[in-house]
mmCIF file of all heavy atoms in Angstrom:
data_model
loop_
_atom_site.group_PDB
_atom_site.id
_atom_site.type_symbol
_atom_site.label_atom_id
_atom_site.label_comp_id
_atom_site.label_asym_id
_atom_site.label_seq_id
_atom_site.Cartn_x
_atom_site.Cartn_y
_atom_site.Cartn_z
ATOM 1 N N ARG A 68 11.097 2.420 6.460
ATOM 2 C CA ARG A 68 11.226 2.028 5.064
ATOM 3 C C ARG A 68 12.558 1.337 4.866
ATOM 4 O O ARG A 68 13.520 1.564 5.598
ATOM 5 C CB ARG A 68 11.098 3.217 4.131
ATOM 6 C CG ARG A 68 12.098 4.367 4.233
ATOM 7 C CD ARG A 68 13.426 4.208 3.511
ATOM 8 N NE ARG A 68 13.362 3.447 2.303
ATOM 9 C CZ ARG A 68 13.807 3.848 1.121
ATOM 10 N NH1 ARG A 68 14.391 5.016 1.015
ATOM 11 N NH2 ARG A 68 13.741 3.077 0.079
ATOM 12 N N GLY A 69 12.606 0.466 3.866
ATOM 13 C CA GLY A 69 13.856 -0.226 3.590
ATOM 14 C C GLY A 69 13.677 -1.310 2.563
ATOM 15 O O GLY A 69 12.599 -1.501 1.990
ATOM 16 N N GLU A 70 14.782 -2.036 2.321
ATOM 17 C CA GLU A 70 14.795 -3.107 1.329
ATOM 18 C C GLU A 70 15.404 -4.383 1.892
ATOM 19 O O GLU A 70 15.775 -5.280 1.150
ATOM 20 C CB GLU A 70 15.551 -2.631 0.086
ATOM 21 C CG GLU A 70 14.930 -1.372 -0.522
ATOM 22 C CD GLU A 70 15.436 -1.049 -1.914
ATOM 23 O OE1 GLU A 70 16.380 -1.733 -2.385
ATOM 24 O OE2 GLU A 70 14.882 -0.128 -2.546
ATOM 25 N N ASP A 71 15.483 -4.469 3.204
ATOM 26 C CA ASP A 71 16.032 -5.642 3.874
ATOM 27 C C ASP A 71 14.891 -6.594 4.215
ATOM 28 O O ASP A 71 14.075 -6.316 5.101
ATOM 29 C CB ASP A 71 16.768 -5.219 5.145
ATOM 30 C CG ASP A 71 17.478 -6.380 5.818
ATOM 31 O OD1 ASP A 71 17.289 -7.540 5.380
ATOM 32 O OD2 ASP A 71 18.220 -6.136 6.782
ATOM 33 N N ALA A 72 14.833 -7.714 3.505
ATOM 34 C CA ALA A 72 13.736 -8.658 3.694
ATOM 35 C C ALA A 72 13.776 -9.336 5.051
ATOM 36 O O ALA A 72 12.790 -9.956 5.462
ATOM 37 C CB ALA A 72 13.755 -9.709 2.585
ATOM 38 N N SER A 73 14.885 -9.216 5.785
ATOM 39 C CA SER A 73 14.940 -9.810 7.121
ATOM 40 C C SER A 73 13.965 -9.133 8.076
ATOM 41 O O SER A 73 13.709 -9.633 9.173
ATOM 42 C CB SER A 73 16.360 -9.743 7.681
ATOM 43 O OG SER A 73 16.749 -8.405 7.945
ATOM 44 N N ALA A 74 13.382 -7.999 7.678
ATOM 45 C CA ALA A 74 12.352 -7.343 8.487
ATOM 46 C C ALA A 74 11.075 -8.175 8.545
ATOM 47 O O ALA A 74 10.218 -7.940 9.410
ATOM 48 C CB ALA A 74 12.040 -5.960 7.929
ATOM 49 N N PHE A 75 10.953 -9.145 7.630
ATOM 50 C CA PHE A 75 9.728 -9.938 7.556
ATOM 51 C C PHE A 75 9.827 -11.150 8.472
ATOM 52 O O PHE A 75 10.097 -12.277 8.054
ATOM 53 C CB PHE A 75 9.440 -10.339 6.107
ATOM 54 C CG PHE A 75 8.916 -9.199 5.287
ATOM 55 C CD1 PHE A 75 9.775 -8.218 4.815
ATOM 56 C CD2 PHE A 75 7.566 -9.087 5.003
ATOM 57 C CE1 PHE A 75 9.306 -7.149 4.078
ATOM 58 C CE2 PHE A 75 7.079 -8.019 4.269
ATOM 59 C CZ PHE A 75 7.949 -7.045 3.810
ATOM 60 N N THR A 76 9.629 -10.873 9.767
ATOM 61 C CA THR A 76 9.468 -11.910 10.777
ATOM 62 C C THR A 76 8.156 -11.622 11.495
ATOM 63 O O THR A 76 7.670 -10.489 11.492
ATOM 64 C CB THR A 76 10.611 -11.903 11.795
ATOM 65 O OG1 THR A 76 10.559 -10.669 12.553
ATOM 66 C CG2 THR A 76 11.972 -12.021 11.124
ATOM 67 N N ALA A 77 7.589 -12.652 12.107
ATOM 68 C CA ALA A 77 6.317 -12.464 12.812
ATOM 69 C C ALA A 77 6.451 -11.402 13.894
ATOM 70 O O ALA A 77 5.575 -10.540 14.052
ATOM 71 C CB ALA A 77 5.851 -13.788 13.394
ATOM 72 N N ALA A 78 7.546 -11.444 14.642
ATOM 73 C CA ALA A 78 7.723 -10.500 15.743
ATOM 74 C C ALA A 78 7.835 -9.070 15.229
ATOM 75 O O ALA A 78 7.232 -8.143 15.783
ATOM 76 C CB ALA A 78 8.957 -10.878 16.559
ATOM 77 N N ASN A 79 8.611 -8.864 14.182
ATOM 78 C CA ASN A 79 8.801 -7.498 13.687
ATOM 79 C C ASN A 79 7.543 -6.968 13.012
ATOM 80 O O ASN A 79 7.148 -5.815 13.237
ATOM 81 C CB ASN A 79 9.981 -7.439 12.713
ATOM 82 C CG ASN A 79 10.336 -6.007 12.348
ATOM 83 O OD1 ASN A 79 10.569 -5.170 13.210
ATOM 84 N ND2 ASN A 79 10.372 -5.720 11.060
ATOM 85 N N LEU A 80 6.887 -7.784 12.188
ATOM 86 C CA LEU A 80 5.694 -7.305 11.487
ATOM 87 C C LEU A 80 4.554 -6.989 12.446
ATOM 88 O O LEU A 80 3.679 -6.177 12.127
ATOM 89 C CB LEU A 80 5.239 -8.331 10.449
ATOM 90 C CG LEU A 80 6.152 -8.528 9.242
ATOM 91 C CD1 LEU A 80 5.532 -9.514 8.264
ATOM 92 C CD2 LEU A 80 6.466 -7.207 8.531
ATOM 93 N N SER A 81 4.564 -7.575 13.630
ATOM 94 C CA SER A 81 3.508 -7.303 14.599
ATOM 95 C C SER A 81 3.527 -5.845 15.057
ATOM 96 O O SER A 81 2.560 -5.370 15.658
ATOM 97 C CB SER A 81 3.648 -8.233 15.809
ATOM 98 O OG SER A 81 4.813 -7.930 16.562
ATOM 99 N N ARG A 82 4.592 -5.118 14.758
ATOM 100 C CA ARG A 82 4.703 -3.708 15.133
ATOM 101 C C ARG A 82 3.923 -2.795 14.189
ATOM 102 O O ARG A 82 3.736 -1.611 14.482
ATOM 103 C CB ARG A 82 6.171 -3.285 15.123
ATOM 104 C CG ARG A 82 7.068 -4.083 16.041
ATOM 105 C CD ARG A 82 8.539 -3.817 15.747
ATOM 106 N NE ARG A 82 8.846 -2.397 15.748
ATOM 107 C CZ ARG A 82 9.538 -1.764 14.804
ATOM 108 N NH1 ARG A 82 10.005 -2.444 13.761
ATOM 109 N NH2 ARG A 82 9.781 -0.481 14.890
ATOM 110 N N TYR A 83 3.449 -3.333 13.049
ATOM 111 C CA TYR A 83 2.907 -2.495 11.987
ATOM 112 C C TYR A 83 1.412 -2.706 11.785
ATOM 113 O O TYR A 83 0.882 -3.793 12.023
ATOM 114 C CB TYR A 83 3.639 -2.781 10.671
ATOM 115 C CG TYR A 83 5.113 -2.472 10.735
ATOM 116 C CD1 TYR A 83 6.056 -3.498 10.888
ATOM 117 C CD2 TYR A 83 5.571 -1.167 10.682
ATOM 118 C CE1 TYR A 83 7.408 -3.220 10.963
ATOM 119 C CE2 TYR A 83 6.929 -0.879 10.763
ATOM 120 C CZ TYR A 83 7.845 -1.912 10.904
ATOM 121 O OH TYR A 83 9.176 -1.638 10.993
ATOM 122 N N ARG A 84 0.780 -1.645 11.291
ATOM 123 C CA ARG A 84 -0.611 -1.733 10.850
ATOM 124 C C ARG A 84 -0.696 -2.209 9.406
ATOM 125 O O ARG A 84 -1.676 -2.847 9.006
ATOM 126 C CB ARG A 84 -1.272 -0.354 10.950
ATOM 127 C CG ARG A 84 -1.571 0.115 12.353
ATOM 128 C CD ARG A 84 -2.832 -0.546 12.908
ATOM 129 N NE ARG A 84 -3.282 0.137 14.112
ATOM 130 C CZ ARG A 84 -4.136 1.155 14.119
ATOM 131 N NH1 ARG A 84 -4.622 1.611 12.982
ATOM 132 N NH2 ARG A 84 -4.492 1.709 15.248
ATOM 133 N N ALA A 85 0.306 -1.831 8.601
ATOM 134 C CA ALA A 85 0.258 -2.159 7.177
ATOM 135 C C ALA A 85 1.667 -2.259 6.623
ATOM 136 O O ALA A 85 2.608 -1.654 7.142
ATOM 137 C CB ALA A 85 -0.535 -1.107 6.401
ATOM 138 N N VAL A 86 1.784 -3.026 5.541
ATOM 139 C CA VAL A 86 3.024 -3.151 4.785
ATOM 140 C C VAL A 86 2.748 -2.659 3.368
ATOM 141 O O VAL A 86 1.748 -3.053 2.756
ATOM 142 C CB VAL A 86 3.521 -4.605 4.751
ATOM 143 C CG1 VAL A 86 4.711 -4.756 3.819
ATOM 144 C CG2 VAL A 86 3.875 -5.092 6.153
ATOM 145 N N VAL A 87 3.613 -1.796 2.849
ATOM 146 C CA VAL A 87 3.462 -1.242 1.503
ATOM 147 C C VAL A 87 4.578 -1.783 0.624
ATOM 148 O O VAL A 87 5.761 -1.628 0.950
ATOM 149 C CB VAL A 87 3.531 0.301 1.519
ATOM 150 C CG1 VAL A 87 3.302 0.853 0.118
ATOM 151 C CG2 VAL A 87 2.517 0.881 2.516
ATOM 152 N N PHE A 88 4.217 -2.424 -0.477
ATOM 153 C CA PHE A 88 5.189 -2.842 -1.487
ATOM 154 C C PHE A 88 5.219 -1.755 -2.565
ATOM 155 O O PHE A 88 4.292 -1.653 -3.374
ATOM 156 C CB PHE A 88 4.800 -4.193 -2.096
ATOM 157 C CG PHE A 88 5.262 -5.393 -1.299
ATOM 158 C CD1 PHE A 88 5.308 -5.364 0.083
ATOM 159 C CD2 PHE A 88 5.649 -6.559 -1.948
ATOM 160 C CE1 PHE A 88 5.736 -6.466 0.823
ATOM 161 C CE2 PHE A 88 6.082 -7.671 -1.220
ATOM 162 C CZ PHE A 88 6.122 -7.627 0.166
ATOM 163 N N ALA A 89 6.264 -0.939 -2.548
ATOM 164 C CA ALA A 89 6.375 0.206 -3.449
ATOM 165 C C ALA A 89 7.312 -0.139 -4.607
ATOM 166 O O ALA A 89 8.527 -0.101 -4.473
ATOM 167 C CB ALA A 89 6.886 1.425 -2.692
ATOM 168 N N ASN A 90 6.722 -0.518 -5.739
ATOM 169 C CA ASN A 90 7.480 -0.858 -6.949
ATOM 170 C C ASN A 90 8.503 -1.966 -6.717
ATOM 171 O O ASN A 90 9.607 -1.938 -7.266
ATOM 172 C CB ASN A 90 8.131 0.385 -7.546
ATOM 173 C CG ASN A 90 7.155 1.174 -8.403
ATOM 174 O OD1 ASN A 90 6.159 0.638 -8.871
ATOM 175 N ND2 ASN A 90 7.430 2.446 -8.597
ATOM 176 N N THR A 91 8.144 -2.931 -5.910
ATOM 177 C CA THR A 91 8.952 -4.147 -5.777
ATOM 178 C C THR A 91 8.868 -4.949 -7.070
ATOM 179 O O THR A 91 7.915 -4.808 -7.851
ATOM 180 C CB THR A 91 8.412 -5.004 -4.624
ATOM 181 O OG1 THR A 91 7.000 -5.215 -4.830
ATOM 182 C CG2 THR A 91 8.629 -4.337 -3.278
ATOM 183 N N THR A 92 9.855 -5.811 -7.303
ATOM 184 C CA THR A 92 9.805 -6.723 -8.442
ATOM 185 C C THR A 92 10.506 -8.028 -8.084
ATOM 186 O O THR A 92 11.446 -8.051 -7.284
ATOM 187 C CB THR A 92 10.500 -6.149 -9.700
ATOM 188 O OG1 THR A 92 11.849 -5.796 -9.375
ATOM 189 C CG2 THR A 92 9.777 -4.928 -10.241
ATOM 190 N N GLY A 93 10.049 -9.104 -8.710
ATOM 191 C CA GLY A 93 10.724 -10.392 -8.592
ATOM 192 C C GLY A 93 10.492 -11.075 -7.250
ATOM 193 O O GLY A 93 9.604 -10.716 -6.478
ATOM 194 N N ASP A 94 11.337 -12.055 -6.977
ATOM 195 C CA ASP A 94 11.236 -12.833 -5.739
ATOM 196 C C ASP A 94 12.021 -12.123 -4.647
ATOM 197 O O ASP A 94 13.252 -12.221 -4.585
ATOM 198 C CB ASP A 94 11.776 -14.248 -5.958
ATOM 199 C CG ASP A 94 10.933 -15.036 -6.945
ATOM 200 O OD1 ASP A 94 9.732 -14.755 -7.045
ATOM 201 O OD2 ASP A 94 11.482 -15.933 -7.620
ATOM 202 N N VAL A 95 11.322 -11.449 -3.776
ATOM 203 C CA VAL A 95 11.973 -10.600 -2.774
ATOM 204 C C VAL A 95 11.933 -11.194 -1.370
ATOM 205 O O VAL A 95 12.610 -10.691 -0.471
ATOM 206 C CB VAL A 95 11.351 -9.191 -2.772
ATOM 207 C CG1 VAL A 95 11.665 -8.466 -4.077
ATOM 208 C CG2 VAL A 95 9.837 -9.245 -2.540
ATOM 209 N N LEU A 96 11.137 -12.248 -1.159
ATOM 210 C CA LEU A 96 11.019 -12.881 0.154
ATOM 211 C C LEU A 96 11.308 -14.377 0.047
ATOM 212 O O LEU A 96 10.872 -15.026 -0.917
ATOM 213 C CB LEU A 96 9.609 -12.686 0.728
ATOM 214 C CG LEU A 96 9.094 -11.258 0.909
ATOM 215 C CD1 LEU A 96 7.671 -11.288 1.461
ATOM 216 C CD2 LEU A 96 10.004 -10.451 1.814
#
Side-chain angles (χ1 to χ4, degrees):
R68 61 83 32 127
E70 302 193 353
D71 185 353
S73 68
F75 285 77
T76 66
N79 189 54
L80 291 183
S81 68
R82 302 167 52 228
Y83 298 102
R84 287 281 193 90
V86 173
V87 183
F88 276 35
N90 278 339
T91 53
T92 56
D94 295 332
V95 293
L96 302 179

